[in-house]
Each structure stands twice: as C-alpha cells, then as structure tokens.
Amino acid sequence: MTTRDGYLIQPMPAAALAAVRHAGRDVSGQPPQRFTAEGGEPLRCCLRDGVVGEPLLLFGYAPPLPAGPYREVGPVFAHDADCPGPAHGTGYPPEWRGRPQVLRAYDHRGRIVGGRLHDGGDPEAVIGELLADPAVDRLHSRNVVYGCFMFAVLRTGGR
C-alpha cells in the first residue's frame, strides 16, 4: 500500500510466506510451529493482531535486506493459510497505532544508518523524518521489547 508521502508500507512478502508453507521450513531450515492464536499476536502477513482461535504459524524470518552482517533472522507470526494481506487500506497499520516501535534506517547496502524509537502516536512524522535523509533506502519497523521485524517501509519514486 502506498502512502501519501512517497513510501510503501510493506508486510512480509506473500512469496516468502508461501515458500515457508510450501517447503515446511523457515529461513533457518526449521519447521514452522503451528498453533491457535491466543489473541494479540502481531501478524506480519496482514499487519494486524491475531484473533483468538485463528490458525497461525511462528517461524524464523529474515526481512528483505541485501546479504550482509546486518541481515537478521527473528521470529514472526503469520496466518497458517493464505491471507489476502492488509485490509485497512493505505497508511500505517491502525491496530498498531499507539504501540511503541523502533524504526531502523538502512542504506542501499543494507547497513544501519540510524533509527528512532516512536510511541506510535504519529509514526508518519517519524517515517518522514528518517526518509528525509538521502542515505536512507528503507526502514524496518521492529517490536520494542522483542526486537522482531514488524514491516518494511520502502521509498517509492525518486528521492
């Protein structure tokens, strides 16, 4: 989904999730764990929290970055079956507004070049400030407590 400010908020790519489902292995070669949602699990496929009773997967994921030392593998939750992706339209995920997050800034080589903690109250302003730096190619939103990947923010168009 494209926002009004020249960037794309991108959930986990559907192809990456399909590969885990098809192969039965995550990026580390481990089988995903299947379970029933207790409610509140942040789903990287549709950028909302899980609802009690939904079938989910928990597995290791390496968010999109060029190969290198800053590429991390961490746990993520997603639907066990096909998911249509975010249903909330454009902009920041509404269920995650007000949730503190860390935005890590990466350059085109995949190296960290900055970042910010935000309280979720006006994430678009923080995204805009970070993307104002021409060295920043993309952002990753990460959970403050666990450090796991939430979604990517990619530039659209020119700088």
Side-chain angles (χ1 to χ4, degrees):
M1 70 201 83
T2 303
T3 70
R4 66 186 189 283
D5 296 316
Y7 56 86
L8 175 81
I9 293 181
Q10 181 183 56
M12 173 188 301
L17 184 51
V20 170
R21 290 182 185 132
H22 176 75
R25 300 281 177 208
D26 67 13
V27 71
S28 298
Q30 299 299 309
Q33 297 178 14
R34 288 182 160 80
F35 65 97
T36 303
E38 296 176 4
E41 297 88 349
L43 304 176
R44 282 30 171 245
C45 50
C46 55
L47 305 183
R48 67 168 176 82
D49 288 342
V51 175
V52 174
E54 288 183 297
L56 301 181
L57 294 175
L58 174 62
F59 59 94
Y61 175 66
L65 276 180
Y70 291 97
R71 190 163 188 227
E72 299 178 56
V73 174
V76 295
F77 295 99
H79 282 112
D80 190 10
D82 285 341
C83 172
H88 60 268
T90 63
Y92 197 84
E95 284 190 38
W96 297 351
R97 191 169 290 282
R99 181 181 291 176
Q101 295 287 294
V102 170
L103 287 170
R104 287 190 192 163
Y106 295 88
D107 67 14
H108 71 280
R109 299 170 299 175
R111 294 185 179 173
I112 295 175
V113 292
R116 289 260 311 271
L117 172 66
H118 70 87
D119 65 6
D122 189 5
E124 294 87 356
V126 179
I127 290 169
E129 289 170 18
L130 289 169
L131 290 178
D133 180 346
V136 175
D137 180 63
R138 71 190 74 203
L139 308 172
H140 285 175
S141 180
R142 293 191 169 258
N143 183 288
V144 172
V145 175
Y146 300 106
C148 47
F149 173 82
M150 300 296 281
F151 57 84
V153 180
L154 306 176
R155 288 183 185 275
T156 57
R159 290 192 189 190

